[in-house]
Amino acid sequence: MTSTLSAAAIESERVVVRKARDADRDGLIEVFTDPEVRRYLGGPRPRAQVEGFLDHLGAVEGGYVVADRETDAFFGMLALAPRDPDLPGHVTPEGGELELSYVLRQAAWGRGLAFEATTAVLRAAARELPEQPVLVVTQAANQAARKLAGRLGFEEVDTFEAHDAAQVLAVAPLGSFRE
Ligand SMILES: CC(C)(COP(=O)(O)OP(=O)(O)OC[C@H]1O[C@@H](n2cnc3c(N)ncnc32)[C@H](O)[C@@H]1OP(=O)(O)O)[C@@H](O)C(=O)NCCC(=O)NCCS
Protein backbone atom coordinates (compact mmCIF):
# COMPACT_ATOMS: atom_id res chain seq x y z
CA MET A 1 0.00 0.00 0.00
CA THR A 2 2.07 2.89 -1.26
CA SER A 3 1.90 5.94 -3.39
CA THR A 4 4.32 8.81 -3.60
CA LEU A 5 4.17 12.25 -2.13
CA SER A 6 2.25 14.84 -4.16
CA ALA A 7 3.92 18.01 -2.78
CA ALA A 8 6.10 19.91 -5.25
CA ALA A 9 8.03 21.61 -2.42
CA ILE A 10 8.38 21.14 1.33
CA GLU A 11 10.06 23.76 3.50
CA SER A 12 11.70 23.57 6.89
CA GLU A 13 13.92 25.93 8.85
CA ARG A 14 17.06 25.81 6.69
CA VAL A 15 16.12 23.75 3.64
CA VAL A 16 13.60 23.46 0.88
CA VAL A 17 12.93 20.03 -0.61
CA ARG A 18 11.74 20.58 -4.17
CA LYS A 19 11.81 19.22 -7.70
CA ALA A 20 15.10 19.51 -9.61
CA ARG A 21 15.76 22.61 -11.74
CA ASP A 22 18.27 23.45 -14.48
CA ALA A 23 20.35 25.39 -11.94
CA ASP A 24 20.94 22.15 -9.98
CA ARG A 25 22.85 20.59 -12.86
CA ASP A 26 26.39 21.18 -11.53
CA GLY A 27 25.43 20.01 -8.05
CA LEU A 28 23.80 16.88 -9.42
CA ILE A 29 26.83 16.09 -11.57
CA GLU A 30 29.02 16.56 -8.48
CA VAL A 31 27.09 14.10 -6.29
CA PHE A 32 27.01 11.41 -9.00
CA THR A 33 30.72 11.73 -9.81
CA ASP A 34 32.27 12.42 -6.36
CA PRO A 35 34.07 9.24 -5.19
CA GLU A 36 33.53 10.15 -1.50
CA VAL A 37 29.79 10.71 -1.92
CA ARG A 38 29.50 7.51 -4.00
CA ARG A 39 31.74 5.46 -1.68
CA TYR A 40 28.91 3.17 -0.50
CA LEU A 41 26.74 3.63 -3.56
CA GLY A 42 28.68 1.60 -6.08
CA GLY A 43 31.36 4.19 -6.82
CA PRO A 44 31.32 7.34 -8.96
CA ARG A 45 29.40 7.32 -12.25
CA PRO A 46 31.18 8.48 -15.40
CA ARG A 47 30.35 12.13 -16.08
CA ALA A 48 29.13 11.44 -19.61
CA GLN A 49 26.64 8.87 -18.32
CA VAL A 50 25.39 11.31 -15.67
CA GLU A 51 24.91 14.07 -18.26
CA GLY A 52 22.84 11.58 -20.24
CA PHE A 53 20.26 10.85 -17.56
CA LEU A 54 20.14 14.23 -15.75
CA ASP A 55 17.47 15.66 -18.02
CA HIS A 56 15.01 13.01 -16.81
CA LEU A 57 15.72 13.40 -13.09
CA GLY A 58 13.22 16.21 -12.48
CA ALA A 59 10.40 13.94 -13.54
CA VAL A 60 11.29 11.01 -11.26
CA GLU A 61 8.35 10.25 -8.97
CA GLY A 62 9.23 10.70 -5.32
CA GLY A 63 12.62 12.20 -6.20
CA TYR A 64 13.57 15.62 -4.82
CA VAL A 65 16.46 18.04 -4.56
CA VAL A 66 17.42 19.42 -1.14
CA ALA A 67 18.35 23.10 -1.41
CA ASP A 68 19.22 26.04 0.82
CA ARG A 69 15.95 27.69 1.81
CA GLU A 70 17.50 31.19 1.59
CA THR A 71 19.60 30.95 -1.55
CA ASP A 72 18.06 27.88 -3.26
CA ALA A 73 21.62 26.51 -3.69
CA PHE A 74 21.85 22.74 -4.18
CA PHE A 75 22.65 20.65 -1.09
CA GLY A 76 21.76 17.19 -2.39
CA MET A 77 19.02 14.73 -3.28
CA LEU A 78 16.40 12.81 -1.42
CA ALA A 79 13.87 10.22 -2.55
CA LEU A 80 10.81 8.64 -1.00
CA ALA A 81 9.65 6.12 -3.58
CA PRO A 82 8.56 2.48 -3.84
CA ARG A 83 11.43 0.01 -3.56
CA ASP A 84 11.68 -2.30 -6.57
CA PRO A 85 10.00 -5.57 -5.45
CA ASP A 86 12.65 -7.56 -7.36
CA LEU A 87 15.46 -6.21 -5.17
CA PRO A 88 16.34 -7.97 -1.91
CA GLY A 89 15.31 -6.15 1.29
CA HIS A 90 11.59 -6.06 2.08
CA VAL A 91 9.28 -6.23 5.08
CA THR A 92 6.05 -7.13 3.25
CA PRO A 93 5.50 -10.22 1.07
CA GLU A 94 4.45 -8.18 -1.96
CA GLY A 95 7.27 -5.61 -1.68
CA GLY A 96 7.11 -2.13 -3.21
CA GLU A 97 7.32 -0.46 0.20
CA LEU A 98 8.23 3.24 0.38
CA GLU A 99 12.00 3.60 0.60
CA LEU A 100 13.82 6.68 1.84
CA SER A 101 17.22 7.54 0.40
CA TYR A 102 19.43 10.58 0.87
CA VAL A 103 22.60 11.95 -0.73
CA LEU A 104 24.19 15.30 0.11
CA ARG A 105 27.19 16.95 -1.51
CA GLN A 106 30.22 16.80 0.81
CA ALA A 107 30.09 20.53 1.63
CA ALA A 108 26.65 19.98 3.20
CA TRP A 109 27.62 17.08 5.49
CA GLY A 110 27.81 17.42 9.27
CA ARG A 111 25.25 20.23 9.67
CA GLY A 112 22.10 18.25 10.35
CA LEU A 113 20.71 19.19 6.93
CA ALA A 114 19.93 15.62 5.85
CA PHE A 115 18.10 15.02 9.12
CA GLU A 116 16.12 18.22 8.70
CA ALA A 117 15.19 17.51 5.08
CA THR A 118 14.24 13.86 5.66
CA THR A 119 12.20 14.75 8.75
CA ALA A 120 10.24 17.35 6.76
CA VAL A 121 9.53 14.89 3.95
CA LEU A 122 8.54 12.04 6.25
CA ARG A 123 6.19 14.36 8.17
CA ALA A 124 4.59 15.53 4.92
CA ALA A 125 4.24 11.90 3.79
CA ALA A 126 2.70 10.92 7.14
CA ARG A 127 0.09 13.65 6.74
CA GLU A 128 -0.81 12.58 3.23
CA LEU A 129 -0.33 8.85 2.83
CA PRO A 130 -1.92 5.83 4.54
CA GLU A 131 -0.10 4.01 7.32
CA GLN A 132 2.67 1.79 5.96
CA PRO A 133 6.28 0.82 6.67
CA VAL A 134 9.10 3.01 5.32
CA LEU A 135 12.46 1.39 4.50
CA VAL A 136 16.05 2.57 4.53
CA VAL A 137 18.63 0.28 2.90
CA THR A 138 22.32 1.08 3.26
CA GLN A 139 25.63 -0.68 3.13
CA ALA A 140 26.56 -1.91 6.61
CA ALA A 141 29.82 0.04 6.28
CA ASN A 142 27.96 3.32 5.69
CA GLN A 143 28.06 4.63 9.25
CA ALA A 144 26.79 8.13 8.40
CA ALA A 145 23.71 6.77 6.64
CA ARG A 146 22.97 4.28 9.44
CA LYS A 147 23.40 6.98 12.07
CA LEU A 148 20.95 9.24 10.27
CA ALA A 149 18.40 6.42 9.93
CA GLY A 150 18.80 5.67 13.64
CA ARG A 151 18.30 9.34 14.57
CA LEU A 152 15.12 9.36 12.48
CA GLY A 153 13.86 6.38 14.48
CA PHE A 154 14.43 3.61 11.94
CA GLU A 155 15.09 0.19 13.45
CA GLU A 156 17.56 -2.17 11.79
CA VAL A 157 15.68 -5.43 11.18
CA ASP A 158 17.75 -7.44 8.71
CA THR A 159 21.06 -7.73 6.90
CA PHE A 160 21.67 -9.22 3.48
CA GLU A 161 24.33 -9.35 0.79
CA ALA A 162 24.01 -7.33 -2.43
CA HIS A 163 26.46 -5.74 -4.89
CA ASP A 164 29.27 -7.66 -3.13
CA ALA A 165 28.62 -5.82 0.15
CA ALA A 166 26.73 -6.38 3.40
CA GLN A 167 23.51 -4.34 3.41
CA VAL A 168 21.34 -3.29 6.34
CA LEU A 169 17.55 -3.03 6.11
CA ALA A 170 15.93 -0.59 8.53
CA VAL A 171 12.23 0.15 8.95
CA ALA A 172 10.00 2.74 10.61
CA PRO A 173 6.21 3.08 10.61
CA LEU A 174 5.19 6.14 8.57
CA GLY A 175 2.87 7.06 11.45
CA SER A 176 5.87 7.62 13.73
CA PHE A 177 6.50 10.85 11.78
CA ARG A 178 2.97 12.18 12.29
CA GLU A 179 3.12 15.35 14.40
C1 LIG B 1 24.24 10.02 4.62
C2 LIG B 1 24.46 11.52 4.65
C3 LIG B 1 23.34 12.23 3.89
C4 LIG B 1 24.45 11.97 6.12
O1 LIG B 1 24.77 13.35 6.19
P1 LIG B 1 24.97 14.05 7.61
O2 LIG B 1 25.23 15.47 7.37
O3 LIG B 1 25.96 13.27 8.42
O4 LIG B 1 23.55 13.78 8.30
P2 LIG B 1 22.70 14.66 9.30
O5 LIG B 1 21.89 15.67 8.58
O6 LIG B 1 21.94 13.69 10.14
O7 LIG B 1 23.76 15.46 10.16
C5 LIG B 1 24.32 14.87 11.29
C6 LIG B 1 25.66 15.46 11.60
O8 LIG B 1 25.57 16.89 11.64
C7 LIG B 1 25.96 17.38 12.93
N1 LIG B 1 25.17 18.59 13.19
C8 LIG B 1 25.68 19.85 13.16
N2 LIG B 1 24.69 20.74 13.36
C9 LIG B 1 23.55 20.04 13.52
C10 LIG B 1 22.21 20.42 13.75
N3 LIG B 1 21.82 21.69 13.82
N4 LIG B 1 21.28 19.43 13.86
C11 LIG B 1 21.63 18.14 13.78
N5 LIG B 1 22.91 17.73 13.54
C12 LIG B 1 23.86 18.68 13.41
C13 LIG B 1 25.72 16.21 13.85
O9 LIG B 1 26.50 16.30 15.01
C14 LIG B 1 26.15 15.05 12.96
O10 LIG B 1 27.56 14.98 12.87
P3 LIG B 1 28.33 13.62 13.26
O11 LIG B 1 27.83 12.55 12.34
O12 LIG B 1 29.75 13.99 13.05
O13 LIG B 1 27.94 13.33 14.65
C15 LIG B 1 25.84 11.91 4.02
O14 LIG B 1 26.87 11.29 4.75
C16 LIG B 1 25.95 11.51 2.55
O15 LIG B 1 25.44 12.19 1.66
N6 LIG B 1 26.66 10.38 2.26
C17 LIG B 1 26.88 9.93 0.90
C18 LIG B 1 25.64 9.39 0.26
C19 LIG B 1 25.13 8.12 0.95
O16 LIG B 1 25.89 7.20 1.19
N7 LIG B 1 23.80 8.07 1.21
C20 LIG B 1 23.16 6.96 1.84
C21 LIG B 1 22.24 6.27 0.90
S1 LIG B 1 20.74 5.69 1.71
Side-chain angles (χ1 to χ4, degrees), residues 37 102-104 109-115 142 144-145 147-148 151:
V37 171
Y102 30 75
V103 175
L104 296 189
W109 293 1
R111 293 161 60 188
L113 296 170
F115 178 79
N142 193 344
K147 219 162 133 181
L148 171 54
R151 266 196 300 268

Side-chain angles (χ1 to χ4, degrees), residues 21-42:
R21 296 186 180 141
D22 289 348
D24 299 320
R25 196 171 180 86
D26 288 349
L28 286 163
I29 290 172
E30 180 187 316
V31 292
F32 280 106
T33 57
D34 181 337
E36 259 318 295
V37 171
R38 300 283 310 172
R39 186 164 167 196
Y40 304 109
L41 304 174

Side-chain angles (χ1 to χ4, degrees), residues 52-119:
F53 67 66
L54 269 191
D55 295 336
H56 309 288
L57 261 186
V60 173
E61 241 190 306
Y64 292 93
V65 153
V66 181
D68 188 314
R69 188 177 165 183
E70 296 240 308
T71 65
D72 205 38
F74 178 92
F75 282 148
M77 305 179 306
L78 183 163
L80 186 65
R83 181 167 175 81
D84 184 342
D86 294 333
L87 291 175
H90 292 285
V91 294
T92 64
E94 65 277 15
E97 305 93 327
L98 274 184
E99 178 182 8
L100 174 70
S101 56
Y102 30 75
V103 175
L104 296 189
R105 72 192 320 170
Q106 275 193 68
W109 293 1
R111 293 161 60 188
L113 296 170
F115 178 79
E116 190 178 319
T118 47
T119 300

